[in-house]
Amino acid sequence: MHYDLIIKNGNIAAVQETFNADIAVKDGKIALTGNINTGDTADEIFDASALHILPGIIDAHVHFRDPGLTEKEDFETGSIAAAFGGITMTADMPNTKPVTSTEKDFVEKIFLAKEKSYIDFALFALLTNENIDEMEKLKKAGAFGFKVFFGSSTGDIACPSHAVLIQQLKTAASLDMRTGFHCETNDINANFTEIARKETDSPDGFWLDYARPVMSEAQAVLNVMRCSLQTKAKIHIHHLTSCESIFITEEAKEKGLNVTTETCPHYLFLNNEVTHKVYPPIRDNSHRTELWDALINGKISMIASDHAPHTAAEKTLPLWEMPAGLCGVETLVPLFLDQVNKGNISLNGFVRLASESPAKTWNVYPQKGSLLAGADADFTLVDMKKKHTIDAAKLHSKSRTSPFDGMELQGAVSSTIVRGKFIMREGELTGCKGYGILISPEH
Ligand SMILES: [Zn+2]
């Protein structure tokens, strides 16, 4: 048999176990995982004996700021940063300019992402007070899921009224589409921010946390769960930060609601003793510890970066005026590889949280997030022994900033393969602009 690519002798980290085997790729798909027959040939045979091979890591929450905010990032720079970070597919948020809330704007965004992206991409569609009639069309156009800003963030996008939201969730349920929520409560944020601003002109991590407190998130999560109970809609909670919210989502799951949850590296690796502005804010160590426990015991479904770049100039503004959001698409995988080396999570557990689970949550499994024959041949090749230091100046995002700058890690991304093609190979960009395709849920 002749294949396009054979990856030989890799340590393959699947969700259940790690094993030594070869992988054969044909026409961008996995043809076989196991032992290649003697006599089998390929255009290229890649020796991976020093590496671990993970199913392609998915970052299901990025803001590539394209269209309209491309001074911060675009699909080209964002996808290059992703490829260097071992990410084979991203899902982009709809708070761009214009927002992605109509079929017309959604289709235009597909074209521009298709032109620029080095890796595969999915696109969320925004729910607004006006676009219930667009929902079916957005699904047909290929939307990954719907997104609601329940509480304002970048772009100051208003949440639909409760009346509209309940109708939209009924529609989402009938379309079998999941809706993801940014959970904060505007009046709580306004009130606590006012108190915090009276206290200090230059807030540190404690005051940023105080200004948008845990109860702001938890109240919104509770509210969203109630809406789900009434509508039977599938719900996803983005960037969950607190043990209160985990308690509420667990209670909802016990009642039979279809709820998935996500948290991000900045809530797991940092605490409010450092000053990094992001919404919702970074909490204290008690929440951080609970988030780790919830990750390991399955109460949190997945990890995503919430990569949300701003320009260097914006990041030097006084903290109350500075826009919220941190870069993370390129640092997610190495941060977790280091935790694997430290014994805090298994490599298989990481694969579940960052490959299989996002693919299942957003209904693109087993095309993505799987090592089964017939799945897209997406792989993240990693060197678990390599030591390195995160250097923000060397990252590939337009915004060369990182809250993890200077962290010393063991475990590095070696190469990134999307549908059988090396996009990043041993530190060199080998893919091309426009290679990425839109990935849509199976229905
Ligand atoms: Zn976000």
Side-chain angles (χ1 to χ4, degrees):
M1 183 78 181
H2 185 79
Y3 298 105
D4 299 329
L5 171 67
I6 293 174
I7 305 171
K8 275 198 83 69
N9 295 321
N11 299 296
I12 299 172
V15 169
Q16 302 302 336
E17 56 173 345
T18 304
F19 55 96
N20 192 276
D22 308 322
I23 297 177
V25 174
K26 181 93 180 154
D27 299 328
K29 306 277 185 196
I30 298 173
L32 177 134
T33 302
N35 289 321
I36 304 298
N37 293 320
T38 35
D40 282 351
T41 54
D43 291 353
E44 177 176 8
I45 296 179
F46 181 86
D47 179 20
S49 47
L51 303 174
H52 282 78
I53 301 170
L54 322 184
I57 299 300
I58 297 168
D59 190 345
H61 187 157
V62 300
H63 299 261
F64 283 170
R65 308 300 196 198
D66 204 350
L69 300 161
T70 51
E71 70 282 6
K72 299 172 193 271
E73 193 76 288
D74 60 36
F75 274 104
E76 181 175 353
T77 52
S79 65
I80 290 172
F84 276 92
I87 305 293
T88 55
M89 171 189 161
T90 53
D92 192 66
M93 287 299 163
N95 54 335
T96 44
K97 269 189 186 167
V99 295
T100 322
S101 63
T102 63
E103 182 192 24
K104 178 178 163 289
D105 288 332
F106 188 89
V107 169
E108 278 176 19
K109 192 167 180 178
I110 298 173
F111 279 117
L112 74 88
K114 177 77 200 76
E115 242 172 29
K116 297 183 191 177
S117 189
Y118 279 71
I119 61 167
D120 287 353
F121 59 89
L123 303 174
F124 280 95
L126 181 72
L127 295 185
T128 70
N129 220 30
E130 289 84 34
N131 74 338
I132 193 163
D133 295 337
E134 296 279 335
M135 289 174 72
E136 190 171 356
K137 288 183 265 181
L138 285 162
K139 175 189 167 173
K140 283 189 179 143
F144 197 48
F146 298 118
K147 169 84 187 252
V148 175
F149 284 88
F150 204 92
S152 332
S153 189
T154 298
D156 273 333
I157 293 158
C159 181
S161 72
H162 273 84
V164 171
L165 183 58
I166 286 168
Q167 294 303 333
Q168 286 169 327
L169 288 176
K170 280 186 189 164
T171 305
S174 70
L175 294 171
D176 193 28
M177 290 282 278
R178 189 176 294 275
T179 305
F181 286 80
H182 174 118
C183 282
E184 289 189 282
T185 308
N186 284 343
D187 63 331
I188 297 177
N189 287 350
N191 187 270
F192 279 78
T193 300
E194 197 185 320
I195 298 168
R197 289 193 72 147
K198 279 183 191 147
E199 287 292 329
T200 176
D201 289 330
S202 55
D204 56 10
F206 170 84
W207 285 109
L208 291 172
D209 177 11
Y210 183 95
R212 300 169 81 106
V214 163
M215 71 183 94
S216 165
E217 174 182 85
Q219 191 62 43
V221 173
L222 190 62
N223 208 332
V224 171
M225 293 304 118
R226 294 243 165 85
C227 294
S228 171
L229 192 63
Q230 288 165 36
T231 58
K232 306 283 181 281
K234 293 196 283 190
I235 300 290
H236 180 75
I237 305 294
H238 292 291
H239 49 51
L240 194 146
T241 71
S242 69
C243 39
E244 278 83 345
S245 299
I246 296 166
F247 181 80
I248 296 165
T249 53
E250 282 302 296
E251 207 174 49
K253 285 187 219 167
E254 276 164 29
K255 286 181 190 145
L257 301 190
N258 188 329
V259 180
T260 53
T261 52
E262 155 199 314
T263 193
C264 315
H266 40 275
Y267 305 119
L268 294 162
F269 291 85
L270 306 171
N271 60 38
N272 68 2
E273 290 161 26
V274 295
T275 306
H276 293 293
K277 189 169 180 187
V278 60
Y279 295 158
I282 297 165
R283 312 300 183 187
D284 66 29
N285 269 335
S286 65
H287 291 286
R288 196 170 66 86
T289 311
E290 291 259 356
L291 289 175
W292 271 105
D293 287 349
L295 263 192
I296 305 301
N297 64 26
K299 291 180 183 173
I300 290 177
S301 323
M302 71 167 77
I303 304 157
S305 74
D306 193 8
H307 178 79
H310 295 289
T311 63
E314 287 168 323
K315 279 301 197 187
T316 58
L317 288 170
L319 265 162
W320 288 129
E321 280 74 47
M322 184 195 289
L326 304 170
C327 288
V329 74
E330 194 169 343
T331 47
L332 183 149
V333 174
L335 284 169
F336 278 93
L337 297 181
D338 184 59
Q339 291 297 308
V340 171
N341 277 318
K342 289 191 164 99
N344 294 331
I345 186 171
S346 68
L347 194 54
N348 316 91
F350 173 60
V351 164
R352 176 178 63 76
L353 286 160
S355 182
E356 184 186 86
S357 176
K360 285 186 169 170
T361 294
W362 298 108
N363 211 7
V364 295
Y365 183 91
Q367 180 190 1
K368 298 295 188 190
S370 152
L371 291 169
L372 297 171
D376 283 357
D378 296 352
F379 310 108
T380 303
L381 275 51
V382 301
D383 178 346
M384 294 304 292
K385 294 206 173 95
K386 187 172 175 184
K387 291 184 179 169
H388 60 114
T389 304
I390 294 180
D391 180 355
K394 290 190 178 148
L395 297 175
H396 295 80
S397 169
K398 270 188 195 174
S399 169
R400 291 174 198 274
T401 59
S402 168
F404 312 108
D405 189 31
M407 274 195 188
E408 293 173 13
L409 307 175
Q410 184 182 343
V413 176
S414 173
S415 296
T416 304
I417 298 175
V418 178
R419 286 177 285 109
K421 184 174 168 58
F422 279 88
I423 306 300
M424 189 279 287
R425 183 167 180 148
E426 294 162 343
E428 299 292 326
L429 187 66
T430 50
C432 54
K433 197 173 160 176
Y435 177 75
I437 55 168
L438 178 76
I439 303 299
S440 303
E442 302 270 330
H443 287 287

